[in-house]
Amino acid sequence: MTQTFQVLYRRLNTAQKRAVDMIESPVMVIAGPGTGKTEILTLRIANILKQTDTEPENILALTFTESGRITMRRRLAEIIGSPAYQITITTFHSFCNDIIQKYPEEFPHIIGSEPITEVDQIRTIEKLLKKLPLELLKPFGDPLYYTRSILVDINKLKREGIDHERFRDIVKEEKQKFENTENLFHIKGPHKGKMKGVYLKEKKEIDKNKELTRLYREYQKTLRKNKQYDFNDMIMETLKALESNEDLLRILQEQYQYVLVDEHQDTNNAQNKILELLLSFHPNPNIFVVGDEKQAIFRFQGASLENFLYFKNLYPEAQIITLEESYRAHQTILDSAESIIPGKKKLRAQVEHIPKKIEIFACSRPEQEEYLVARHIQKKIEEGTRPGEIAVLYRENRDAFLYADALRKLGVLHQIESDQDILEDKDIEKLILILKTIEDLGNEESLAEALHIDFLNIPPLDIYKLIQESYSSRISLYEIMRKADSETYENPKRIKKTFRAFEKWKRISKNHPLPHLLEKVLEESGFIHYMLEEKERGEKMEKLRTLFDEIKKFIESHKRASLKNLLAHIETLETHNILVKRTSALSQNKVHLLTAHKSKGLEFEYVYIVGAYDGHWGNKRKPDPLPLPQKAFSKTGAQLEKEEKNEDERRLFYVALTRAKKGAIVTYSKENTEARELLPTQFIAEIKSELKEEKEVKEYEDKAKSDRNLFIAKKEKEEKETGDEKEYFKTLFENQGLSVTALNNYLSCPWKYFYTNLIRIPKLPATHQMFGIAMHAALKDFFEKLKQGEESKELLIQRFQWQIGKQPITEDFESWERRGREALDGYFENYKGSWQKNTLGELNMKGILLEDIKLTGKLDKIEFIDDAGGVNVIDYKTGKPKSRNVIEGNTKDSDGGMKRQIIFYNVLLNRYKNGKHKMKSGEIDFVEPNERGIYKKEVFKVEEEEVKELEELIKKTSNEIQNLVFWELYCDNKECEFCRLRSLMA
């Protein structure tokens, strides 16, 4: 670490070095775009480890986004290696969730409750609106009109740490202040005694908020009654626990001695209060925050500016460091951004100046703008710019598809990286249509539509004949499909097979759990085969996996849900525009398409800011139907100053512009698709004239006309992108790393690894897997209590019952629950009084490096057996106990995967915290008895030669995976479902 650190440290400028060196006091760093905030955050962490005896787990780094967390972890690993994975680098929500999971007894409102989905939140609010006697929030004609706004506001209040009682007090104060306003009423004239019009709107907003206080209270009561909690309750409950529980607060204060916060300008009041409590043990704690008021795009300006003032007031002796040197963009880009949001100190470019102004293209119409952007990008790539160094930034998620379509038609590789609603994906729509047809079997309109789905492979002419014959003969479409003959139809076998499939799926939907139906439809309809034949199969499978994640969440909270319930859930998602988000990882071989919000923290050589017209970027005409009092967002309780309505948009445009390193191109259309005139965004006019230039569009628009056939073509020639595909899978492997389960799967069948571990084909967990999860979790809980001296069989069984109750087991639940109770009863009686109490449960090891290969693993339990760091590693197994020969792979039906698991844990521990835990032995602990009721354990001593052999195997396997060596290979099992899937692939 020392050498890498010194090399990087010497490259820092004076202000950056000061930030890295100042490790023992409150520090705020104001870091504009490109000033190296990620570098100083990671180097400061490295410096803390270098200068002090602090352990990695005593450092807490909080980021605002998941992408920020990944970036910081990756950069830190490059500097300090494996210890980077022992440092807590996390988002605020994940941090709070980890506290709740680690100290469940401190969170009675959450532990024992189920997480509520956004759809369930919507339905809860709809029920309350129907039940409560409201007026303003229940308008006549559309009593559910405010549903979405109410949910948005409740979530905002929770993010600010405001419960319903505090909100009630705020609204009372607002009402009192309003009633004390001078000149509230007309004192003469025809309106004497009536409230002045200017105040009527304000009164109505206060009255709406008064009704909202009641809804908020009833919403929380409903959650408690139903044993539910929502996403934002994790932060709210953590805040309440830290405020009321001194013991928990002290434990966390002792653990986290250094705290770093990225993107501090976007933190909310609840998050800041948690930080304040964590650090309250010392008047000048070791807190380091990095932020930039100009880039506050997730909170409105008043609150973000208050973060700065709040920090200064809280820590008067804090050091304020301003980074003024930017290493990203040339001076023209920085000056252009400065002209949009001026600052006290001007950023100075530290890169070679490129005398290139901001290019402005004013196109005649949207389709010509899309064409121009695609052609301009194509030209940039032809001139030598890598596709991965180009980004198209837009204002809304829905803006992506037209530009993506234009790039596709020109053959420019690209990827949409903004949040996409997978329910709008054409292939997902086809799958949902099949599910709707199954549920509504008998509805001929639905069936006729479903027959058109391409992967059902019914010839188009046959579809038209079926529909026509049904109409003319007045015989049902189902009956005609059942009797389809070869004289009339081209492929009657396919027609009959499709009919039988729908009949079969309908029977399954009525007699089997929902997961079983979904798996059968995916497999038997040809949908998986169809997805795997697609050119962008990786992206397609990721969308399918996202859909299954949503379905899995739904089933977990509605264990006995039917297909009808699932379709109602999907309908609610669509009705209220709730995105089922699918987010892609960045690809370096494709042009990036993403929202300006999503681009935060990224950089590209060339940035295209598209659709830059007034009302889209700036002056957005979308009033807030239910505005909250600004006082709700203030830490001090003071009323924040009202900001110019465009400040949010201004900062967003600033962020978009400053993503560019070499060039920024801004485009807009002069009229929309309805021929209505559009004006450029005001931010274009605010860029100083000497920094921008209007570019000629005639050449592109003439070319667009001559290329018209290209843009109306219905099908383009597909090209196989083996190189890009290889890069995609390599990136997946590098991000995920290699676990022993993944390794064992690869050795069993490379395609089992490919589908199960690499691309993760959607599959809901089997019942025996859910049973195993519950058994493991119960044992973890039990041994945590055992460390405190509590050895209770009732506790062990109770924790199992609670854990298995969380699993979406819908078939034969009672048998599985009884099996677990009986197994743990005997397990406790067999081993009671003999357990080692000095243990650590579920040691999660991520990013353990074997050369440049990232290894991961979770150890069920380790026992500390001597004072020199010696440990015994225990791995629990459910199911029938295995013999020692089977475990070691000495029988014809075993490959030694269990023994390999023990050796793999040795490899991990050798590299974990510089070998802090020395593995003396590994133990397979079977927690279910054999046929004679006997419980078994097998203990192994791992030899050094075994470790070396496994390390070589890991390197070989890693090389094969990254180079797709297995691409044309199949395993020896003729019945292998994964090889069969591979054989379906084009």
Side-chain angles (χ1 to χ4, degrees):
M1 175 186 103
T2 305
Q3 185 177 358
T4 306
F5 175 84
Q6 291 299 338
V7 169
L8 295 172
Y9 180 81
R10 282 195 290 270
R11 296 177 187 168
L12 301 178
N13 61 45
T14 303
Q16 289 173 327
K17 285 179 179 175
R18 187 171 164 231
V20 170
D21 290 338
M22 202 170 292
I23 60 175
E24 298 294 339
S25 64
V27 179
M28 169 175 271
V29 176
I30 301 170
T35 54
K37 70 181 179 69
T38 302
E39 193 76 346
I40 64 167
L41 279 163
T42 50
L43 284 174
R44 189 175 193 272
I45 292 171
N47 200 30
I48 291 168
L49 296 174
K50 178 172 176 285
Q51 301 290 348
T52 71
D53 59 359
T54 304
E55 293 291 333
E57 55 264 39
N58 297 137
I59 299 173
L60 171 64
L62 291 162
T63 70
F64 196 75
T65 62
E66 191 63 21
S67 61
R69 180 192 70 80
I70 292 169
T71 300
M72 192 186 301
R73 176 91 68 195
R74 184 187 298 121
R75 189 72 187 100
L76 189 58
E78 291 169 359
I79 300 170
I80 66 174
S82 292
Y85 293 90
Q86 277 80 68
I87 292 165
T88 304
I89 303 176
T90 183
T91 62
F92 274 96
H93 267 104
S94 294
F95 175 62
C96 292
N97 188 48
D98 288 346
I99 294 173
I100 292 166
Q101 296 301 320
K102 194 169 183 181
Y103 306 99
E105 63 279 2
E106 312 297 346
F107 297 91
H109 290 314
I110 287 186
I111 296 300
S113 298
E114 297 289 338
I116 188 172
T117 66
E118 195 171 358
V119 169
D120 290 327
Q121 287 180 284
I122 288 283
R123 288 183 173 169
T124 300
I125 290 168
E126 286 179 341
K127 287 177 184 175
L128 290 173
L129 283 170
K130 291 173 183 176
K131 182 178 79 170
L132 296 174
L134 305 169
E135 293 182 13
L136 295 173
L137 296 185
K138 197 173 174 179
F140 180 76
D142 191 357
L144 302 181
Y145 175 80
Y146 284 102
T147 302
R148 185 77 173 144
S149 298
I150 291 165
L151 177 58
V152 167
D153 279 0
I154 288 175
N155 285 335
K156 280 182 183 177
L157 290 167
K158 288 189 176 187
R159 284 195 291 270
E160 297 303 323
I162 297 173
D163 60 19
H164 63 86
E165 292 175 342
R166 173 65 186 133
F167 182 54
R168 179 198 61 204
D169 293 341
I170 289 173
V171 174
K172 278 184 179 177
E173 291 169 20
E174 290 285 305
K175 188 172 187 292
Q176 187 65 46
K177 181 182 173 184
F178 175 77
E179 289 173 348
N180 292 333
T181 303
E182 294 183 9
N183 302 318
L184 201 57
F185 300 93
H186 291 282
I187 57 174
K188 57 183 178 180
H191 300 298
K192 183 179 179 181
K194 294 180 180 178
M195 186 174 290
K196 293 179 179 178
V198 70
Y199 294 117
L200 286 174
K201 182 183 176 185
E202 189 175 345
K203 180 181 184 301
K204 194 170 186 178
E205 287 179 358
I206 292 171
D207 290 342
K208 282 183 179 179
N209 277 310
K210 188 176 178 183
E211 291 191 354
L212 181 60
T213 63
R214 184 173 181 186
L215 266 166
Y216 188 4
R217 183 187 70 221
E218 293 300 319
Y219 172 77
Q220 287 303 110
K221 281 173 64 176
T222 303
L223 294 194
R224 296 284 183 266
K225 179 183 174 183
N226 296 339
K227 290 192 170 297
Q228 296 172 318
Y229 66 92
D230 64 33
F231 183 68
N232 289 302
D233 281 332
M234 286 191 289
I235 285 186
M236 283 282 286
E237 292 298 322
T238 302
L239 175 55
K240 287 180 180 179
L242 295 182
E243 287 176 326
S244 61
N245 190 328
E246 290 186 13
D247 291 342
L248 176 62
L249 180 60
R250 193 177 303 115
I251 289 169
L252 295 173
Q253 286 176 338
E254 289 175 3
Q255 180 176 353
Y256 298 115
Q257 298 164 19
Y258 291 87
V259 178
L260 302 91
V261 185
D262 192 13
E263 306 287 7
H264 184 252
Q265 76 278 354
D266 288 320
T267 53
N268 56 46
N269 288 343
Q271 293 165 343
N272 273 305
K273 187 63 179 175
I274 287 172
L275 286 174
E276 184 181 339
L277 288 165
L278 278 177
L279 298 159
S280 61
F281 68 97
H282 195 286
N284 285 297
N286 299 321
I287 180 170
F288 182 85
V289 302
V290 182
D292 178 15
E293 177 194 328
K294 293 181 181 181
Q295 297 185 73
I297 60 173
F298 294 103
R299 292 192 86 207
F300 63 87
Q301 178 74 357
S304 300
L305 176 59
E306 201 190 46
N307 274 347
F308 175 78
L309 301 174
Y310 173 71
F311 188 86
K312 285 186 69 177
N313 292 334
L314 192 60
Y315 308 115
E317 297 179 23
Q319 298 294 316
I320 310 296
I321 301 171
T322 303
L323 304 183
E324 301 172 33
E325 298 178 5
S326 177
Y327 298 85
R328 177 186 299 161
H330 60 80
Q331 197 64 47
T332 300
I333 292 173
L334 295 179
D335 290 346
S336 299
E338 175 78 13
S339 63
I340 292 170
I341 306 183
K344 293 178 182 177
K345 296 189 177 181
K346 188 176 174 182
L347 287 174
R348 300 187 301 274
Q350 299 300 306
V351 297
E352 180 184 356
H353 181 62
I354 303 170
K356 191 171 186 60
K357 298 179 180 181
I358 308 300
E359 298 180 61
I360 314 293
F361 288 92
C363 302
S364 300
R365 289 180 55 81
E367 60 268 26
Q368 289 168 333
E369 181 185 359
E370 293 145 20
Y371 177 87
L372 180 145
V373 169
R375 275 290 182 208
H376 203 275
I377 289 172
Q378 185 184 50
K379 187 177 178 183
K380 278 271 184 282
I381 294 170
E382 289 169 354
E383 291 170 351
T385 303
R386 288 196 311 120
E389 286 292 342
I390 299 172
V392 178
L393 304 185
Y394 35 83
R395 182 64 186 84
E396 308 283 359
N397 281 309
R398 63 176 176 267
D399 296 343
F401 301 104
L402 295 173
Y403 294 95
D405 194 48
L407 289 166
R408 181 177 60 82
K409 287 173 177 174
L410 291 180
V412 176
L413 296 180
H414 61 280
Q415 184 168 307
I416 299 174
E417 283 142 6
S418 51
D419 291 335
Q420 301 165 56
D421 186 1
I422 57 119
L423 295 180
E424 292 183 352
D425 180 81
K426 293 299 180 187
D427 295 323
I428 298 299
E429 285 179 352
K430 294 172 189 174
L431 179 59
I432 292 172
L433 175 56
I434 285 181
L435 296 177
K436 287 179 178 177
T437 305
I438 295 168
E439 174 58 29
D440 204 14
L441 204 62
N443 182 328
E444 298 201 13
E445 184 178 338
S446 175
L447 177 63
E449 186 179 354
L451 294 180
H452 288 79
I453 295 173
D454 46 6
F455 58 79
L456 294 179
N457 291 318
I458 299 177
L461 187 57
D462 281 358
I463 298 171
Y464 306 143
K465 286 180 178 178
L466 283 166
I467 295 170
Q468 178 59 35
E469 185 177 346
S470 174
Y471 175 78
S472 60
S473 66
R474 299 186 182 277
I475 299 174
S476 77
L477 187 55
Y478 293 90
E479 193 62 30
I480 290 172
M481 288 181 69
R482 190 202 304 269
K483 297 177 178 178
D485 60 76
S486 56
E487 291 183 9
T488 309
Y489 298 100
E490 178 186 336
N491 195 338
K493 287 184 178 179
R494 170 56 60 182
I495 294 171
K496 290 177 180 177
K497 182 179 179 182
T498 302
F499 172 74
R500 288 194 298 271
F502 275 109
E503 271 196 325
K504 176 185 176 184
W505 297 332
K506 182 66 175 181
R507 284 195 300 273
I508 292 173
S509 76
K510 293 300 182 183
N511 296 287
H512 293 273
L514 185 55
H516 182 71
L517 169 67
L518 296 172
E519 289 179 11
K520 287 295 180 186
V521 171
L522 278 181
E523 182 180 344
E524 295 174 2
S525 68
F527 186 74
I528 290 289
H529 181 186
Y530 164 76
M531 295 286 267
L532 292 173
E533 281 190 321
E534 289 287 288
K535 177 181 174 185
E536 295 174 331
R537 61 179 70 101
E539 185 176 341
K540 292 288 184 185
M541 293 306 296
E542 196 158 319
K543 287 183 178 179
L544 181 57
R545 190 161 57 246
T546 303
L547 175 66
F548 259 64
D549 286 343
E550 178 67 25
I551 293 173
K552 183 181 176 184
K553 283 191 295 183
F554 169 72
I555 293 174
E556 284 173 353
S557 55
H558 305 82
K559 294 183 176 59
R560 301 195 181 279
S562 65
L563 177 58
K564 184 177 181 179
N565 301 143
L566 174 61
L567 292 172
H569 177 84
I570 291 171
E571 184 180 355
T572 303
L573 290 169
E574 293 172 335
T575 301
H576 292 281
N577 297 315
I578 301 171
L579 296 185
V580 181
K581 294 180 182 177
R582 173 254 176 190
T583 305
S584 303
L586 291 175
S587 167
Q588 292 309 306
N589 298 319
K590 298 180 180 180
V591 173
H592 311 285
L593 284 81
L594 60 166
T595 61
H597 276 100
K598 205 78 176 177
S599 73
K600 181 83 174 286
L602 303 175
E603 60 183 29
F604 310 92
E605 287 185 6
Y606 293 96
V607 162
Y608 291 77
I609 303 174
V610 299
Y613 60 86
D614 186 59
H616 195 56
W617 286 85
N619 294 316
K620 291 180 75 66
R621 297 169 183 85
K622 191 177 180 182
D624 184 352
L626 190 52
L628 292 170
Q630 279 192 305
K631 195 171 183 178
F633 300 91
S634 170
K635 299 177 190 65
T636 62
Q639 190 76 11
L640 299 175
E641 290 185 14
K642 291 204 174 187
E643 62 173 15
E644 182 213 329
K645 66 178 180 178
N646 263 337
E647 285 307 296
D648 282 343
E649 295 290 311
R650 183 183 302 283
R651 291 191 299 277
L652 192 60
F653 198 85
Y654 177 95
V655 166
L657 193 59
T658 54
R659 300 310 93 196
K661 294 188 282 187
K662 291 184 177 179
I665 299 94
V666 183
T667 70
Y668 68 95
S669 304
K670 293 179 181 178
E671 60 179 48
N672 65 13
T673 51
E674 287 84 38
R676 183 172 61 82
E677 183 183 2
L678 299 175
L679 298 174
T681 173
Q682 70 181 65
F683 308 131
I684 292 177
E686 290 173 6
I687 299 173
K688 293 177 181 177
S689 57
E690 64 270 22
L691 302 174
K692 64 186 176 185
E693 61 178 328
E694 295 272 353
K695 303 292 287 186
E696 182 57 58
V697 300
K698 187 176 185 304
E699 177 188 344
Y700 288 98
E701 296 197 348
D702 288 346
K703 181 73 172 162
K705 291 173 185 174
S706 65
D707 280 351
R708 185 170 178 274
N709 289 337
L710 174 72
F711 272 67
I712 61 173
K714 291 184 178 177
K715 191 158 181 82
E716 299 80 30
K717 184 180 177 182
E718 302 285 359
E719 295 178 12
K720 190 166 180 65
E721 302 162 26
T722 308
D724 190 62
E725 197 169 63
K726 189 174 179 180
E727 183 65 29
Y728 172 78
F729 293 134
K730 184 177 180 181
T731 302
L732 272 185
F733 175 77
E734 289 173 349
N735 289 338
Q736 293 171 8
L738 190 69
S739 68
V740 67
T741 303
L743 175 63
N744 281 339
N745 282 343
Y746 182 87
L747 297 173
S748 167
C749 171
W751 292 105
K752 182 178 182 181
Y753 162 78
F754 179 81
Y755 288 115
T756 305
N757 304 102
L758 192 61
I759 68 170
R760 297 175 183 171
I761 194 167
K763 199 171 181 66
L764 294 162
T767 304
H768 74 272
Q769 292 172 315
M770 293 187 277
F771 173 76
I773 290 168
M775 292 286 278
H776 278 68
L779 288 163
K780 175 183 178 293
D781 293 346
F782 171 75
F783 284 108
E784 285 295 320
K785 286 295 185 183
L786 185 68
K787 287 194 289 187
Q788 301 167 22
E790 186 177 346
E791 186 176 11
S792 163
K793 179 168 65 175
E794 289 71 24
L795 171 71
L796 175 59
I797 293 173
Q798 181 188 60
R799 295 311 294 170
F800 165 73
Q801 289 174 311
W802 185 74
Q803 292 286 354
I804 199 166
K806 290 169 60 180
Q807 302 300 321
I809 298 175
T810 55
E811 196 168 23
D812 210 13
F813 174 85
E814 291 77 13
S815 296
W816 286 99
E817 193 260 353
R818 183 173 60 253
R819 172 176 162 178
R821 275 192 290 109
E822 292 174 354
L824 291 175
D825 185 296
Y827 183 80
F828 180 91
E829 293 296 337
N830 193 66
Y831 295 115
K832 68 179 179 181
S834 66
W835 284 301
Q836 164 70 260
K837 293 184 179 180
N838 188 11
T839 63
L840 177 63
E842 289 198 359
L843 176 59
N844 200 359
M845 292 182 283
K846 300 178 181 178
I848 305 298
L849 299 178
L850 172 61
E851 296 181 358
D852 60 345
I853 305 165
K854 186 166 81 173
L855 305 180
T856 65
K858 181 186 285 187
L859 278 59
D860 289 342
K861 186 174 71 172
I862 60 175
E863 294 178 342
F864 300 99
I865 56 179
D866 59 39
D867 295 332
V871 297
N872 176 44
V873 175
I874 296 174
D875 192 74
Y876 303 124
K877 297 293 182 191
T878 53
K880 182 181 176 182
K882 304 292 188 293
S883 70
R884 194 173 184 91
N885 278 334
V886 169
I887 292 170
E888 292 185 312
N890 296 328
T891 62
K892 64 178 182 179
D893 56 347
S894 169
D895 64 355
M898 285 190 190
K899 178 66 181 294
R900 190 180 300 114
Q901 189 171 1
I902 294 295
I903 303 169
F904 194 95
Y905 291 156
N906 199 315
V907 172
L908 290 173
L909 284 174
N910 286 343
R911 290 165 173 77
Y912 178 71
K913 293 190 176 181
N914 298 317
K916 177 181 179 181
H917 304 310
K918 298 174 179 59
M919 184 170 163
K920 300 292 186 179
S921 56
E923 181 179 304
I924 303 291
D925 186 358
F926 294 98
V927 297
E928 292 188 89
N930 63 17
E931 296 89 343
R932 293 172 295 164
I934 297 172
Y935 288 82
K936 278 189 62 178
K937 293 181 179 181
E938 293 289 348
V939 181
F940 299 89
K941 188 177 187 306
V942 178
E943 303 296 337
E944 189 175 336
E945 189 58 36
E946 292 177 308
V947 172
K948 289 179 180 177
E949 286 178 7
L950 182 59
E951 287 176 349
E952 290 306 313
L953 178 61
I954 291 169
K955 292 174 190 175
K956 177 178 178 291
T957 302
S958 170
N959 179 65
E960 289 180 6
I961 292 169
Q962 294 187 73
N963 289 290
L964 303 185
V965 170
F966 60 89
W967 202 250
E968 300 300 332
L969 303 177
Y970 294 86
C971 74
D972 297 330
N973 180 4
K974 301 300 182 186
E975 304 299 318
C976 177
E977 61 176 303
F978 303 102
C979 288
R980 184 178 58 79
L981 272 178
R982 169 63 181 101
S983 69
L984 298 177
M985 194 185 299

